[in-house]
């Protein structure tokens, strides 16, 4: 079984490397075939130079901008998970709170977040706080909606059985509702992790001196396409790393789901 898993992992890695090589080949081929100008689409080699060439890397100060953006994403993600779960628990625990909070959630989620960014800039000032608030506002709603669904959507027969057995509301919540909500929670977290990246960049566009979003705008002003594409690639890498971390956390928190998946494969 372990040999089979090892082979699957090797195949997966090789397939991803092949896909990346094909993508780069098509990219370079399109530039050569259609004679695309470098200010429209840079060559892959120039993009890689923008990231790895020591001189260009020192000029762009990659580590400062990557660290700033990654820190904003991580802090906003933690805030989204903690705040989103607490709000969801309150909504599921109390029907009056459900009636009070859910309309506000729907109202806030319908507002374009880019329109709120200038308002947050006036309220919280220029810098880290504004970027985190923007990212939280962008990313929190999938966590709330999914978790509330998991907490509330319980089989009525199961609830009747717990009532018959004399289970308290707390016992029903901890033994049935929360375990039932975990798959929904992680589905929302995965969506929110990607949205935290987008939210942090929106915040940096509006209110930041550092970060990949700020560097992206600066490169746009200078028509430096290689640096712009390098920023996009680095953002994609950060997003993928966060997604992978969540996947590992999901497997640790729900080992039964992993065993179930392996049983179905067998």
């Amino acid at each position: 079984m372990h040999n089979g898993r090892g082979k699957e992992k090797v195949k997966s890695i090789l397939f991803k490397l092949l896909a990346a090589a094909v993508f780069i080949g098509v990219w370079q081929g399109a530039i050569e075939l259609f004679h695309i100008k470098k200010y429209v689409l840079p060559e892959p080699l120039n993009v890689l130079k923008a990231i790895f060439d020591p001189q260009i890397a020192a000029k762009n100060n990659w580590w400062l901008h990557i660290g700033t953006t990654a820190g904003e994403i991580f802090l906003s993600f933690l805030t989204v998970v903690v705040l989103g779960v607490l709000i969801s628990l309150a909504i599921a625990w109390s029907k009056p709170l459900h009636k009070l909070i859910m309309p506000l959630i729907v109202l806030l989620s319908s507002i374009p977040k880019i329109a709120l960014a200038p308002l947050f800039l006036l309220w919280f000032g220029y810098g880290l706080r504004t970027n985190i608030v923007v990212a939280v506002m962008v990313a929190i709603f999938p966590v709330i909606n999914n978790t509330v669904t998991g907490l509330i959507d319980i089989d009525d027969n199961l609830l009747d059985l717990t009532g018959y057995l004399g289970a308290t509301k707390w016992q029903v919540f901890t033994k049935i509702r929360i375990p039932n909500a975990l798959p929904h929670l992680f589905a929302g977290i995965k969506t929110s992790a990607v949205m935290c990246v987008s939210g942090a960049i929106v915040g940096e566009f509006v209110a930041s001196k550092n970060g990949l979003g700020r560097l992206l705008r600066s490169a746009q002003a200078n028509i430096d396409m290689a640096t712009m594409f390098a920023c996009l690639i680095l953002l994609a890498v950060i997003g993928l790393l966060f997604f992978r971390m969540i996947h590992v956390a999901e497997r640790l928190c729900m080992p039964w789901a992993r065993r179930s998946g392996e049983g179905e494969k067998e």
Side-chain angles (χ1 to χ4, degrees), residues 86-102 148 151-152 169 173 177:
L86 290 176
I87 292 171
S88 302
L89 292 173
I91 290 171
W93 181 267
S94 168
K95 286 185 179 179
L97 283 177
H98 185 281
K99 292 177 181 178
L100 175 67
I101 296 175
M102 281 310 292
V148 168
L151 290 167
I152 293 175
K169 186 176 181 179
F173 218 82
R177 293 192 184 276

Side-chain angles (χ1 to χ4, degrees), residues 154-162:
I154 307 292
D155 187 356
D156 289 335
N157 293 325
L158 182 58
L159 292 176
D160 290 340
L161 177 61
T162 58

Side-chain angles (χ1 to χ4, degrees), residues 12 15 38-39 45 58 80 100 140 142 158 184 206:
S12 176
F15 180 78
K38 67 178 181 179
Y39 57 80
L45 184 60
V80 162
L100 175 67
I140 196 170
L158 182 58
H184 298 80
V206 176

Side-chain angles (χ1 to χ4, degrees), residues 21-36 41-46:
V22 169
F23 176 75
I24 291 172
V26 171
W27 179 355
Q28 183 63 43
I31 292 172
E32 299 291 340
L33 183 62
F34 299 107
H35 306 289
I36 300 173
L41 183 67
E43 293 184 357
L45 184 60
N46 289 337

Side-chain angles (χ1 to χ4, degrees), residues 172-232:
V172 171
F173 218 82
T174 54
K175 302 296 183 183
I176 295 175
R177 293 192 184 276
I178 290 177
N180 184 73
L182 282 177
H184 298 80
L185 169 62
F186 276 102
I189 285 175
K190 286 176 181 177
T191 304
S192 293
V194 177
M195 295 176 74
C196 279
V197 178
S198 303
I201 295 306
V202 169
E204 288 176 356
F205 281 167
V206 176
S208 185
K209 295 179 181 178
N210 300 313
L212 292 173
R214 183 65 179 176
L215 184 60
L216 193 60
R217 285 198 66 185
S218 176
Q220 178 192 21
N222 296 322
I223 320 179
D224 185 356
M225 295 298 289
T227 299
M228 287 181 69
F229 271 75
C231 288
L232 295 174

Side-chain angles (χ1 to χ4, degrees), residues 26-259:
V26 171
W27 179 355
Q28 183 63 43
I31 292 172
E32 299 291 340
L33 183 62
F34 299 107
H35 306 289
I36 300 173
K37 303 296 183 184
K38 67 178 181 179
Y39 57 80
V40 176
L41 183 67
E43 293 184 357
L45 184 60
N46 289 337
V47 176
L48 293 174
K49 273 185 181 178
I51 298 173
F52 296 109
D53 184 272
Q55 220 171 2
I56 301 173
K59 176 189 169 188
N60 289 329
N61 206 348
W62 282 123
W63 287 115
L64 172 65
H65 295 300
I66 291 170
T68 300
T69 300
E72 290 167 355
I73 294 168
F74 183 70
L75 290 173
S76 62
F77 176 73
L78 283 181
T79 306
V80 162
V81 173
V82 173
L83 194 59
V85 169
L86 290 176
I87 292 171
S88 302
L89 292 173
I91 290 171
W93 181 267
S94 168
K95 286 185 179 179
L97 283 177
H98 185 281
K99 292 177 181 178
L100 175 67
I101 296 175
M102 281 310 292
L104 292 174
I105 296 296
V106 173
L107 177 66
L108 288 172
S109 64
S110 65
I111 299 173
K113 306 309 175 292
I114 188 69
L116 293 173
L119 184 62
F120 292 146
L121 177 59
L122 292 174
W123 284 350
F124 302 108
Y126 205 81
L128 182 67
R129 270 190 306 179
T130 299
N131 299 342
I132 291 173
V133 171
V134 172
V136 169
M137 283 298 296
V138 168
I140 196 170
F141 300 106
V143 171
I144 295 175
N145 292 330
N146 283 37
T147 308
V148 168
T149 299
L151 290 167
I152 293 175
D153 190 15
I154 307 292
D155 187 356
D156 289 335
N157 293 325
L158 182 58
L159 292 176
D160 290 340
L161 177 61
T162 58
Y164 175 76
L165 294 173
T168 64
K169 186 176 181 179
W170 175 254
Q171 288 173 325
V172 171
F173 218 82
T174 54
K175 302 296 183 183
I176 295 175
R177 293 192 184 276
I178 290 177
N180 184 73
L182 282 177
H184 298 80
L185 169 62
F186 276 102
I189 285 175
K190 286 176 181 177
T191 304
S192 293
V194 177
M195 295 176 74
C196 279
V197 178
S198 303
I201 295 306
V202 169
E204 288 176 356
F205 281 167
V206 176
S208 185
K209 295 179 181 178
N210 300 313
L212 292 173
R214 183 65 179 176
L215 184 60
L216 193 60
R217 285 198 66 185
S218 176
Q220 178 192 21
N222 296 322
I223 320 179
D224 185 356
M225 295 298 289
T227 299
M228 287 181 69
F229 271 75
C231 288
L232 295 174
I233 289 170
L234 290 170
L235 285 169
V237 169
I238 292 171
L240 286 171
L241 288 174
F242 267 90
F243 194 87
R244 184 62 184 168
M245 285 168 56
I246 294 161
H247 179 68
V248 171
E250 181 181 22
R251 292 175 66 168
L252 292 173
C253 292
M254 297 192 302
W256 63 86
R258 180 183 174 188
R259 287 196 295 268

